[in-house]
Amino acid sequence: MALIDNKAERFFQEKIIDKKLVQQIKGNLSLPTYLIEDLILNYKDDELSLAEIEQLLNQQVVKSKDNLKLQNQIRQQDQTIIDKIMVKIKSKDDYQVQLLNLGLKRVKVDHEIVRVYPNLLENGFWAKVQLSYLEETDEFEIIELTPIYSNEFDLEEFKEKREKFTDFQWRCFLLRSIGIEPLELSERKKLLFLSRLVPFVEKNYNFIELGSRGTGKSYIYRQLSEQSILVSGGKTTVANLFYNMGTKQIGLVGKWDIVAFDEVAYIEFKDKTAIQILKDYMESGSFSRGQEEIVAEASMVFLGNINQDVSVLLNQSHLFKPLPELMQDIALIDRFHFYLPGWEMDRLKEDYFTTHYGLQSSYLAQALNKLRELDFKGVIDEHFNFDQQMDVRDKRAVKKTVAGFLKLLHPHGKFSRDDLRSYLDIALEGRKRVKEQLIKMAPFEYEETNFNYLERQSGQSFYTHLPEQKMNTGFRRELANPGTVYIGQIIDGQTFALLKLEIKMKKGQGKLIFTGQLDHSLKKQIRKTFLHLKNRKLNLKLKNKVERNDFYVKLVPLMHRVTADISNTFLIAIYSLLNNKSVPKGLLVTEKSSLYRKVKADFVLKALKVESETGRVKTLLPLKKGNIFVEVPNEIIAYVPRFIEV
C-alpha cells in the first residue's frame, strides 16, 4: 500500500494531506474536516510544527461562546479571525455581511471584495478576516479577506492523474481521501462506502441509508464538502427546503449539491404539502410554487437508525419502518434510487481511519462537483439488457447509480466489462431492496420484479439477490404468507418455470377478483376451482369466510411461463388463507397434476411439510406462529395428489 502513497506524492503533490495529522488535531477543534485540512496546509507553508498550528487555530478560529468577548477585543484593536462569512444583497449599492460565529449580521465591506469573491453571495465560505472597528459609525469593517480554500481545479488534469493509478490503487486512494483505511475491507464493503459518494457526483440522486449507530452515516455529508448541508432531525418547512413565497428565495435544494437529512425518524414537516412537493422534486428535479416551475439539482440523502435487529424488522414489518409515518408513502419510497444496507456497515473504530495520504477534502469536493457534469448513463445499454419486468423507475435508478460509480472510479472513461458488472450488481441490489419493500407495503399495487440482466456479448444471464434474504431468521423466514404459494414446473425436462400465486381477502360478497395481467387459461382454471370450492360442503366457519369475503388473486411470473394446471395450487393457497396457516415456499407442479384428472404415480408435487410413517405419507401444514405443525384439513387431502418431503 506504500506504492499508493508514492503515487499520491508524485501526481497530487500539492493536493494531498497526511490524514493522520487531521485526526490528531480534529479532536480538539469543532470544525469540519475540509476546513481543518485547508488550515493545516495553509500554515504548513509557514513551516510551523503541528503543535504551533493547533495553537494558532485555537486562537484564530471564532468560537460562538466567546463572540462577545472577541467583539470587545476588536473594538480595542484590529484582530485577525477565522470565521464563516456570507453576504446578502440589501439593495443595489448595499451589501449585508454576516460573520456567523462572531454573531455579527451587518459588517461593512468594500464592494471590490464581493466582486473578487462572488461565492460570498451564494453559500458563503470560511475565510481569514482582518476586522477593524469604526467608532464614529459604531460599525465593524472588513479590512482584508483571504479564503481558506483554493478554487483552482482542472477536470482534465484530474482525469489524467487518475489514469496513473491502477483501478485497485485508485479505489483505495479514494477511500483514504474520505478518511477510511481500505486494507482490511472486502471489495463489497469498499463499494458500499463509496456509494455514499454517489449523491455528490450524480444530480438529483435519491439515496437512503438506514442501519446501526456509529457507522459514519452522516460524517461524509457534514465533513467532506462545503457543497453539502446536513439537516438534523426536527421540523423543516417548504420555504426552507424548496421556496420562500414571501422573499422569493429558493431553498436548500437550489443552493447545495446535497441536502442530507440526519436522524430522519425525527424529521417533521410543518406544511402538509411538503411531502407532495418532495415527491415531485425527487421524481423530476423540479417543483411548483405559485405559478413558477422551479428546477434544482440537489441530491436528496436520508439517514437514520434501525433500533432493532434487521431480521426482526424484515419478518415483522418492512425496511422503511424507521421513517416517520408521513414519509412511509409508497409513492415517495418508489423514488429512492438506492438503499444502502446500513446494518452491514461496522461501527467506526480507531483502526478504520487511515494514517496514509489522501486527497485534500476541499480539492476532492471540487472534483466531485465537476464530475456531476459527466454523463455515463448510456453505458449500461451498450453492454447489458435489463429484464423486461423492470419498469422505467427501476432502470433509471440503476443507471444513475452505475453512472455515479463510473464517475468516481473511472472519470477518464476507461473500464472493463467486469468493472461495469460489479457496479451494476450493487446498483441493482440497492434498487431491488426498495422494490421488495414496496411489494410488502402494497402487494396489489407493486408486482414481483426480476432484477436480472443479460450480458450482450456472452448471452449469459445474471441474477440479483439481496444478502438479507439469506439471513438465518428462524423458522418463520421459511414460510410464505397465508394464501401465497410458489409454483415450479419443469418443461420438456430442461426448462424451469416459476410462478407466484398470491390470494388476499377483504370483506365482500364471495367474489373472485383478479389483479394484474393473467393468462386466460390460468384464470379459467382458478374460476372453475373456486366454483368447485363454493359448491362443496364446508364447515360453517369456512363457509362464512367464503361467502362474506372477496378474494383477490394475483399471479406473478418469475421465470419463464408456467403452462401446468394450477387448480391444485389454487386450492392449497385458498385453504391456507382461510385457515390462516402458511405454506412453505417451493411448490412443484407438473403438466399431469390436476384437480380434475387422475394423477399418475410418477408425477408428484412438493407443497407442504411431509413426513413418512410406516410407508404412509402424512401431509402436515405449519401454523403461522412457531415451529408447530398440524394436519392439513381433510378437504385438501381428498383432492390433492400425494406429497414428497420438501
Side-chain angles (χ1 to χ4, degrees):
M1 300 295 272
L3 181 58
I4 300 175
D5 282 342
N6 292 335
K7 284 193 173 183
E9 287 185 291
R10 284 172 57 198
F11 302 116
F12 287 101
Q13 187 176 9
E14 303 298 322
K15 302 299 180 183
I16 58 170
I17 189 168
D18 185 342
K19 298 291 179 174
K20 186 177 181 179
L21 297 180
V22 182
Q23 292 300 321
Q24 289 174 351
I25 288 185
K26 186 170 175 56
N28 300 322
L29 287 172
S30 299
L31 294 173
T33 301
Y34 65 83
L35 181 60
I36 292 175
E37 292 183 3
D38 288 342
L39 290 168
I40 290 174
L41 292 176
N42 281 348
Y43 284 116
K44 212 170 180 185
D45 292 339
D46 299 332
E47 298 184 356
L48 299 175
S49 68
L50 191 63
E52 290 172 325
I53 292 174
E54 188 172 351
Q55 185 179 1
L56 262 176
L57 295 182
N58 275 312
Q59 291 171 356
Q60 294 184 345
V61 175
V62 178
K63 301 176 181 65
S64 298
K65 65 177 183 177
D66 298 330
N67 62 349
L68 294 178
K69 181 171 67 176
L70 191 51
Q71 286 180 33
N72 188 53
Q73 290 175 4
I74 298 168
R75 283 184 169 92
Q76 310 302 321
Q77 182 181 354
D78 293 357
Q79 298 282 330
T80 298
I81 64 167
I82 295 172
D83 200 351
K84 186 164 187 179
I85 180 171
M86 297 181 69
V87 175
K88 293 184 178 180
I89 301 174
K90 296 299 290 182
S91 64
K92 182 178 179 182
D93 299 314
D94 186 20
Y95 295 113
Q96 180 175 305
V97 180
Q98 297 182 24
L99 290 167
L100 298 190
N101 289 339
L102 191 56
L104 295 177
K105 294 186 177 180
R106 188 168 182 82
V107 180
K108 192 174 180 180
V109 66
D110 191 289
H111 288 197
E112 182 62 17
I113 290 179
V114 180
R115 188 192 68 78
V116 173
Y117 302 114
N119 285 353
L120 287 169
L121 295 166
E122 296 175 4
N123 295 323
F125 52 72
W126 286 83
K128 187 186 293 186
V129 180
Q130 187 177 352
L131 275 177
S132 180
Y133 176 67
L134 305 174
E135 190 171 354
E136 60 275 13
T137 58
D138 190 26
E139 286 181 303
F140 291 91
E141 180 183 28
I142 294 175
I143 300 171
E144 189 178 344
L145 181 149
T146 306
I148 300 298
Y149 73 97
S150 169
N151 204 25
E152 298 176 3
F153 180 80
D154 186 326
L155 181 58
E156 294 307 314
E157 181 185 49
F158 179 78
K159 292 179 185 179
E160 290 173 10
K161 290 180 176 180
R162 153 62 184 102
E163 204 164 352
K164 305 296 183 183
F165 293 73
T166 66
D167 292 347
F168 171 78
Q169 291 168 351
W170 182 255
R171 191 174 296 189
C172 292
F173 184 49
L174 201 54
L175 285 165
R176 286 179 173 177
S177 296
I178 60 174
I180 300 298
E181 179 50 51
L183 191 59
E184 299 298 326
L185 297 179
S186 66
E187 289 305 304
R188 172 178 174 79
K189 197 67 69 70
K190 288 175 188 173
L191 287 179
L192 290 178
F193 266 112
L194 290 172
S195 71
R196 291 171 172 171
L197 288 175
V198 173
F200 284 94
V201 296
E202 267 297 299
K203 299 175 184 177
N204 301 112
Y205 187 76
N206 306 320
F207 177 94
I208 185 166
E209 178 180 357
L210 302 176
S212 308
R213 288 176 171 81
T215 58
K217 289 189 291 293
S218 61
Y219 175 86
I220 203 167
Y221 306 106
R222 189 196 303 274
Q223 303 289 339
L224 176 65
S225 169
E226 283 192 302
Q227 303 296 331
S228 69
I229 184 168
L230 188 69
V231 181
S232 297
K235 289 186 178 180
T236 189
T237 64
V238 171
N240 180 51
L241 189 56
F242 295 107
Y243 189 77
N244 189 315
M245 298 284 283
T247 63
K248 307 299 181 185
Q249 294 288 317
I250 195 166
L252 299 179
V253 296
K255 296 178 179 179
W256 305 87
D257 284 353
I258 292 178
V259 178
F261 292 90
D262 195 17
E263 300 289 352
V264 68
Y266 304 106
I267 292 289
E268 292 182 41
F269 294 96
K270 289 184 179 179
D271 191 332
K272 292 182 179 179
T273 64
I275 290 295
Q276 185 56 50
I277 297 172
L278 183 60
K279 284 191 286 190
D280 290 345
Y281 178 72
M282 290 172 67
E283 175 69 15
S284 63
S286 64
F287 57 93
S288 298
R289 292 300 282 160
Q291 297 181 344
E292 299 293 326
E293 180 78 11
I294 301 167
V295 177
E297 296 179 345
S299 292
M300 305 299 289
V301 172
F302 297 85
L303 310 167
N305 299 316
I306 293 178
N307 297 318
Q308 61 189 131
D309 190 281
V310 69
S311 62
V312 176
L313 195 63
L314 281 166
N315 277 326
Q316 296 181 356
S317 184
H318 54 80
L319 293 177
F320 288 99
K321 193 67 176 176
L323 294 181
E325 189 172 346
L326 198 61
M327 288 187 65
Q328 292 182 41
D329 180 303
I330 57 174
L332 176 72
I333 288 170
D334 199 8
R335 284 152 169 78
F336 282 113
H337 297 127
F338 190 88
Y339 188 137
L340 191 155
W343 52 88
E344 289 191 40
M345 309 301 280
D346 301 323
R347 292 182 67 87
L348 293 181
K349 300 177 183 177
E350 190 173 341
D351 57 354
Y352 260 78
F353 297 101
T354 189
T355 56
H356 293 267
Y357 284 127
L359 287 172
Q360 184 184 351
S361 292
S362 58
Y363 176 77
L364 175 60
Q366 290 178 68
L368 299 178
N369 175 263
K370 297 300 180 185
L371 289 171
R372 290 167 77 88
E373 303 305 321
L374 301 182
D375 186 5
F376 285 110
K377 286 189 277 294
V379 171
I380 288 294
D381 292 331
E382 297 174 15
H383 300 279
F384 301 99
N385 290 333
F386 288 121
D387 192 287
Q388 291 182 352
Q389 289 184 13
M390 289 177 63
D391 64 27
V392 173
R393 279 200 184 121
D394 296 331
K395 293 175 183 177
R396 183 170 63 229
V398 171
K399 287 180 180 180
K400 284 177 76 70
T401 303
V402 172
F405 277 115
L406 290 175
K407 291 177 186 182
L408 290 167
L409 299 170
H410 308 273
H412 54 322
K414 298 179 181 179
F415 48 84
S416 68
R417 192 176 289 106
D418 286 342
D419 291 327
L420 198 56
R421 259 203 63 209
S422 66
Y423 311 144
L424 180 56
D425 285 340
I426 206 155
L428 285 162
E429 178 196 314
R431 175 59 185 174
K432 181 178 173 71
R433 187 170 289 110
V434 173
K435 204 63 176 283
E436 289 284 317
Q437 302 314 302
L438 286 171
I439 293 168
K440 267 189 167 186
M441 296 168 74
F444 284 100
E445 188 164 342
Y446 288 89
E447 298 285 341
E448 193 99 25
T449 304
N450 281 331
F451 279 73
N452 307 332
Y453 62 95
L454 179 76
E455 187 177 63
R456 286 189 170 189
Q457 186 178 48
S458 66
Q460 185 177 358
S461 294
F462 296 92
Y463 301 91
T464 303
H465 303 285
L466 299 180
E468 59 265 25
Q469 291 181 339
K470 299 177 183 178
M471 288 182 178
N472 181 16
T473 59
F475 179 76
R476 284 189 61 203
R477 178 126 185 104
E478 300 303 318
L479 301 180
N481 292 325
T484 300
V485 177
Y486 287 81
I487 310 153
Q489 178 189 3
I490 300 173
I491 301 172
D492 298 330
Q494 55 184 7
T495 303
F496 182 69
L498 189 64
L499 180 71
K500 179 181 178 182
L501 170 64
E502 187 175 22
I503 312 173
K504 290 187 179 294
M505 61 182 180
K506 296 181 182 179
K507 286 185 179 180
Q509 300 175 330
K511 295 179 182 178
L512 189 66
I513 301 169
F514 295 100
T515 64
Q517 295 183 344
L518 274 75
D519 182 279
H520 177 71
S521 62
L522 299 183
K523 192 183 292 188
K524 185 177 178 181
Q525 294 165 24
I526 290 171
R527 281 203 184 100
K528 186 176 179 181
T529 307
F530 188 64
L531 288 173
H532 176 80
L533 174 72
K534 293 182 76 172
N535 291 331
R536 295 198 66 249
K537 290 183 179 180
L538 302 171
N539 66 51
L540 185 60
K541 182 180 177 181
L542 293 185
K543 183 178 177 65
N544 287 338
K545 280 189 177 182
V546 172
E547 292 177 349
R548 296 174 184 177
N549 288 282
D550 289 336
F551 295 85
Y552 293 78
V553 179
K554 181 169 73 170
L555 289 172
V556 183
L558 301 178
M559 290 177 64
H560 302 291
R561 181 171 175 262
V562 169
T563 58
D565 189 320
I566 65 167
S567 48
N568 271 322
T569 310
F570 177 77
L571 188 64
I572 292 170
I574 200 164
Y575 268 99
S576 163
L577 181 65
L578 292 170
N579 288 281
N580 195 30
K581 298 170 183 176
S582 297
V583 177
K585 298 177 182 178
L587 175 63
L588 177 62
V589 184
T590 74
E591 303 86 36
K592 303 290 181 71
S593 175
S594 169
L595 182 64
Y596 311 106
R597 303 191 196 111
K598 185 177 179 181
V599 181
K600 293 185 178 179
D602 57 335
F603 286 101
V604 295
L605 72 150
K606 292 183 190 176
L608 312 177
K609 177 69 180 179
V610 182
E611 293 178 354
S612 177
E613 295 178 355
T614 63
R616 296 179 60 230
V617 174
K618 185 177 181 181
T619 307
L620 300 178
L621 182 65
L623 290 172
K624 188 175 181 182
K625 292 183 179 179
N627 194 3
I628 303 171
F629 292 86
V630 296
E631 288 197 41
V632 175
N634 290 331
E635 290 94 338
I636 292 182
I637 295 175
Y639 286 94
V640 177
R642 65 186 180 86
F643 297 87
I644 61 173
E645 187 168 351
V646 177

